[in-house]
């Protein structure tokens, strides 16, 4: 066992029985350069400072007998010349039943958590040939999502918005209302105050006994923030392997990408795309792709994405959108108008929705989307008072149902189930315009 490994989960499956020894030849606030033969990327290096317990670091880059490592803890007492050892152990996560009903740190350690299972967090647990297609609906209890962007068990979807629009609040609502067996919530890079408030709220909810919260605040090191995301995924995989349908919520994937940027740039990788390294997409894919359906259970991934400067084409948003099965856009304009949750229905899409909803649901959702689009297009007419009733029967019908539709989507979370309200509004539109009952 590497010195200093007692506090962190470490996997020894790749060890070959040899101990490689070296010395520190350079260091910065978050990375350490070590002269060490035979190490590989991902290996754990134990560094012995002079006056406190050893520091663990993970190898990121190798050049001949020199390696660049990312520290897993504070390197304040490490000095050039400090001895280092490596047995080819790898950083892992604690998972298991003791994490249910617990708020734990980036590696799965909690003040009340009992000894847990050590699991290699970098290994994909569900090969492609074990994957299944998404067939069942995941009801979230959010009308705008359930009606227009219906999710499936095992789907991966992103919540996209700028800062302060309501991603965390919407994630909290989904966690409270979603129909699942267990949930894992990863709080990555959150402010400590907000993380404490969310954990306190979750403790009071009826779902707390089947909830695991993995937290690494904004003050945590880049390696700790990355480890928190991997631990959350590993715990979700452990629950899925037991046959559970799990909701995995990561808030936010952007801060995972930022943590990886710090790690990769510290290891010497070039900032290829607007300050982000080329490897960012593969790291995010390694997290996102582990959600899905298997023969045992499912992981439904809901990933918050912070859109930098409200630019939907900034590097992280652009990369993540191509990895997901759908995206839900939150509108700053709706939030500023007091419409919550501020889901922009017209700019949100679920690629799984046609596979899991009935034909009637799909037709009625398309009809109401058309009505919302017509109302948005006519906003200028309303603003200048140019709208005259009687000139367009379709627009007149849309205006008649607008208030009910807005109350249903943005205010009333206790009314009829989304499909029922959806069918009622669509039927009213068809009666007002003379459309056939089965026409979108």
């Amino acid at each position: 066992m590497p010195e200093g490994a007692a506090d962190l989960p470490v996997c020894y499956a790749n060890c070959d029985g040899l101990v490689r020894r070296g010395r520190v030849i350079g260091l910065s606030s978050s990375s350490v350069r070590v002269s060490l033969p035979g190490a590989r990327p991902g290996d754990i290096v134990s560094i012995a400072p002079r006056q406190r317990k050893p520091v663990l670091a993970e190898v990121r880059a190798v050049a001949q007998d020199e390696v660049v490592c990312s520290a897993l803890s504070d390197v304040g007492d490490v000095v050039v010349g400090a001895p280092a050892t490596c047995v080819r152990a790898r950083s892992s996560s604690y998972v298991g039943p003791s994490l249910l009903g617990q708020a734990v740190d980036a590696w799965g350690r909690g003040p009340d958590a009992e000894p847990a299972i050590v699991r290699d967090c970098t290994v994909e647990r569900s090969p492609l040939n074990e994957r299944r297609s998404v067939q069942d609906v995941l009801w979230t209890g959010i009308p705008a999502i359930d009606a227009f962007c219906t999710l499936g068990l095992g789907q991966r979807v992103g919540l996209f918005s700028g800062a302060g629009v309501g991603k965390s609040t919407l994630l909290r609502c989904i966690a409270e209302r979603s129909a699942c067996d267990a949930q894992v919530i990863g709080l990555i890079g959150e402010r400590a105050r907000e993380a404490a408030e969310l954990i306190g709220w979750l403790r009071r909810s009826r779902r707390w006994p089947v909830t695991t919260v993995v937290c690494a605040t904004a003050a945590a090191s880049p390696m700790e923030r990355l480890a928190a995301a991997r631990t959350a995924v590993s715990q979700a995989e452990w629950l899925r392997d037991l046959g559970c349908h799990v909701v995995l919520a990561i808030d936010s994937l952007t801060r995972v990408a930022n943590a990886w940027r710090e790690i990769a740039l510290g290891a010497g990788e070039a900032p290829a795309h607007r300050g982000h390294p080329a490897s960012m997409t593969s790291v995010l894919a390694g997290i996102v792709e582990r959600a899905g359906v298997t023969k045992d259970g499912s992981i439904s991934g809901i990933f918050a994405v912070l859109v930098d400067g409200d630019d939907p084409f900034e590097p992280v948003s652009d990369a993540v959108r191509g990895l997901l099965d759908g995206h839900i856009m939150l509108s700053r304009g709706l939030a500023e108008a007091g419409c919550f949750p501020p889901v922009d229905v017209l700019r949100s899409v679920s690629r799984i929705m046609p596979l899991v909803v009935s034909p009637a649901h799909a037709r009625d959702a398309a009809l109401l989307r058309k009505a919302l689009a017509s109302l948005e297009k006519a906003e200028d007419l309303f603003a200048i008072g140019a709208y005259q009733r009687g000139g367009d029967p379709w627009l007149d019908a849309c205006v008649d149902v607008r208030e009910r539709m807005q109350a249903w989507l943005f205010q009333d979370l206790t009314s009829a189930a989304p499909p029922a309200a959806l069918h009622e509004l669509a039927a009213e539109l068809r009666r007002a315009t003379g459309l056939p009952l089965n026409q979108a």
Side-chain angles (χ1 to χ4, degrees), residues 370-417:
K370 180 180 176 182
L372 289 170
S374 297
L375 290 169
E376 183 180 89
K377 187 176 180 180
E379 282 298 328
D380 290 341
L381 296 178
F382 301 144
I384 64 176
Y387 166 68
Q388 295 292 326
R389 191 174 182 84
D392 185 345
W394 166 252
L395 185 57
D396 292 343
C398 295
V399 171
D400 289 341
V401 301
R402 177 172 57 178
E403 289 189 7
R404 284 183 57 201
M405 194 155 41
Q406 289 179 342
W408 169 55
L409 292 177
F410 303 125
Q411 299 169 18
D412 187 4
L413 297 182
T414 61
S415 63

Side-chain angles (χ1 to χ4, degrees), residues 46 154 156 158 162 248 347 382 401:
S46 177
R156 299 158 299 186
L248 169 66
R347 288 156 191 84
F382 301 144
V401 301

